[in-house]
Amino acid sequence: TGVLGDHVWVIRLPAIAGRCAALFLIYLIAKKIYDERVGLLSVLFAMGSFLLIIGSVIAIPDVIATPLCLLAIYWTEKNQAKSAAVTVGLAVLTKWTSLFITPILLYRFWKQGLSKTKLFYQIILIPVLIQAPVILWNIRHDFATLKFHLVERQKHAVWSLAKYLHNFVVYVQSQIFSMGLAGIALLVFVIWALVRMKTSTNSEFQKKSWQTLLWTLPGFLVVGISGTVGEMRFYWTNISVLILEVVLIAYALQKKDWVKPLTKWATALTGFSWVLILLAVLIPFGAMINQLAGKIVYNRPSLMSDLTQRPSWVAHSLSEQDRNDPDLAFITSDIHIVAQLVWILKKENILRVRVAGP
């Protein structure tokens, strides 16, 4: 912003750059494991993934953690232990959910013949040393982050079996949705092919695909358990969804006559997904609905909204615990929205505000 100015599109440039890097790394991984056709189609399907699309317009740690995790997977597939260790250490430093890939990373290097000594000094010790600032901070602050993730975050209400099943179904639906229209069509197509066409594959391909699918299991498992007990974080499975699509594409391309129709459908559905997202971003549907209805029907403000007219929404969005939390912080991607929030909080005496930054 110091060079290009305080604009929404400027603040979103790191997110876009992170997603572009993720697309390139998906190509490299798919090409390394399978071939260039799978790599190119993996990029096309990933571009239609709602996880990547949404992550391209909002600034969250995942936009940095995702390409770092993919790079760690790529180094693992190339049997580069030190490079993989440094990369996964940086990924975990960016976001703790990067830990999801570490069990498979350790397993793969063990299977590739890395000795136990090197496994410890390279794959375990290097990431731990990179985490030294976080570890030291936790020691000084009574292991606050560990308590939050392992204890406080795990607290949930005790529900009936039907509620847990409902949560699990919602989790599965969120994962299917995150694949995007092209990914959903691919999933349905491959399931149909497995059931009806019984496409045969050689043992080497099957072994390679099962090894690749291992990367998806920790993410799906941990987030699935979390979602079942009520904490729905569907975007934490970013890596799992992308790798799953690579394997599905590789299977679909076992039939050479499927390449052209698969490419056409993926291009059409990915393009359609981008059009929908662009319309949702550029057109203030909420304001239009409220104007037509003559009252507030859609009450969730967006970048197109004027927050200064909605002090009650801001007030009701804060719980009693938030109001009494001295460390509460509001983070937004738009200087205009920051100014509106500060103005509301001061004028309505909702909170005592201390502004950080220019």
Side-chain angles (χ1 to χ4, degrees):
T1 56
V3 177
L4 300 175
D6 292 329
H7 306 291
V8 174
W9 67 270
V10 174
I11 297 173
R12 288 173 177 165
L13 286 179
I16 296 172
R19 289 322 192 190
C20 289
L23 291 173
F24 178 66
L25 288 164
I26 275 292
Y27 165 77
L28 291 180
I29 291 170
K31 182 182 177 182
K32 178 70 177 68
I33 298 173
Y34 296 105
D35 55 45
E36 189 168 18
R37 291 183 312 161
V38 178
L40 292 172
L41 269 177
S42 295
V43 172
L44 187 58
F45 276 92
M47 287 177 64
S49 166
F50 288 135
L51 277 177
L52 254 70
I53 293 175
I54 295 171
S56 299
V57 295
I58 56 175
I60 53 178
D62 302 73
V63 301
I64 300 175
T66 296
L68 286 172
C69 284
L70 290 173
L71 184 58
I73 292 173
Y74 176 69
W75 288 129
T76 304
E77 295 295 337
K78 292 198 69 174
N79 200 19
Q80 300 289 325
K82 291 180 181 178
S83 298
V86 171
T87 310
V88 80
L90 293 173
V92 176
L93 201 61
T94 305
K95 187 165 184 176
W96 73 273
T97 53
S98 302
L99 285 169
F100 293 167
I101 69 169
T102 54
I104 310 305
L105 186 143
L106 288 167
Y107 170 76
R108 289 297 302 276
F109 277 114
W110 175 68
K111 289 292 287 184
Q112 290 169 7
L114 197 68
S115 67
K116 292 181 179 179
T117 303
K118 288 185 176 180
L119 200 65
F120 174 78
Y121 284 109
Q122 294 183 12
I123 307 301
I124 297 177
L125 190 59
I126 290 176
V128 169
L129 289 175
I130 293 175
Q131 299 302 307
V134 178
I135 296 171
L136 292 174
W137 185 91
N138 270 279
I139 292 173
R140 293 178 58 187
H141 294 85
D142 195 27
F143 298 96
T145 57
L146 288 177
K147 287 180 179 178
F148 172 72
H149 288 297
L150 298 179
V151 181
E152 296 175 16
R153 207 167 200 170
Q154 307 309 317
K155 294 177 181 177
H156 65 279
V158 178
W159 291 313
S160 64
L161 178 60
K163 178 63 176 177
Y164 285 118
L165 290 174
H166 169 77
N167 289 344
F168 179 74
V169 170
V170 172
Y171 159 73
V172 173
Q173 290 173 340
S174 72
Q175 295 309 301
I176 295 173
F177 165 81
S178 67
M179 296 177 71
L181 297 178
I184 293 171
L186 174 68
L187 179 64
V188 172
F189 179 78
V190 170
I191 292 175
W192 175 78
L194 285 169
V195 174
R196 298 295 299 275
M197 302 182 68
K198 297 181 180 179
T199 303
S200 59
T201 57
N202 60 57
S203 58
E204 181 63 28
F205 174 84
Q206 291 181 359
K207 180 182 177 182
K208 190 166 26 179
S209 297
W210 281 114
Q211 285 181 344
T212 306
L213 280 174
L214 285 176
W215 292 109
T216 72
L217 293 182
F220 282 141
L221 180 63
V222 174
V223 181
I225 294 172
S226 177
T228 302
V229 299
E231 186 177 1
M232 202 61 63
R233 295 289 187 271
F234 74 96
Y235 53 90
W236 285 359
T237 58
N238 207 343
I239 299 297
S240 299
V241 169
L242 292 173
I243 297 298
L244 174 61
E245 287 191 339
V246 170
V247 177
L248 292 175
I249 291 164
Y251 179 84
L253 292 186
Q254 289 299 291
K255 286 282 189 178
K256 293 183 179 180
D257 55 340
W258 290 355
V259 177
K260 286 186 177 180
L262 197 62
T263 304
K264 289 179 180 178
W265 275 101
T267 304
L269 291 172
T270 297
F272 181 66
S273 300
W274 275 96
V275 169
L276 290 179
I277 294 295
L278 286 173
L279 288 175
V281 170
L282 297 176
I283 299 176
F285 288 107
M288 292 169 60
I289 293 171
N290 294 337
Q291 187 175 4
L292 289 173
K295 59 180 179 179
I296 296 178
V297 177
Y298 181 83
N299 64 354
R300 185 172 184 177
S302 68
L303 290 177
M304 301 292 184
S305 303
D306 183 3
L307 289 182
T308 59
Q309 304 300 316
R310 316 288 269 283
S312 61
W313 181 88
V314 176
H316 292 148
S317 297
L318 297 171
S319 66
E320 288 300 320
Q321 182 179 355
D322 291 332
R323 293 170 187 269
N324 297 317
D325 185 357
D327 298 319
L328 180 67
F330 293 94
I331 303 173
T332 76
S333 61
D334 187 350
I335 303 300
H336 179 61
I337 299 295
V338 172
Q340 290 188 31
L341 275 172
V342 172
W343 186 87
I344 293 171
L345 294 170
K346 281 189 174 182
K347 182 177 182 295
E348 301 296 326
N349 197 27
I350 297 172
L351 285 175
R352 288 193 304 172
V353 178
R354 182 180 59 188
V355 181

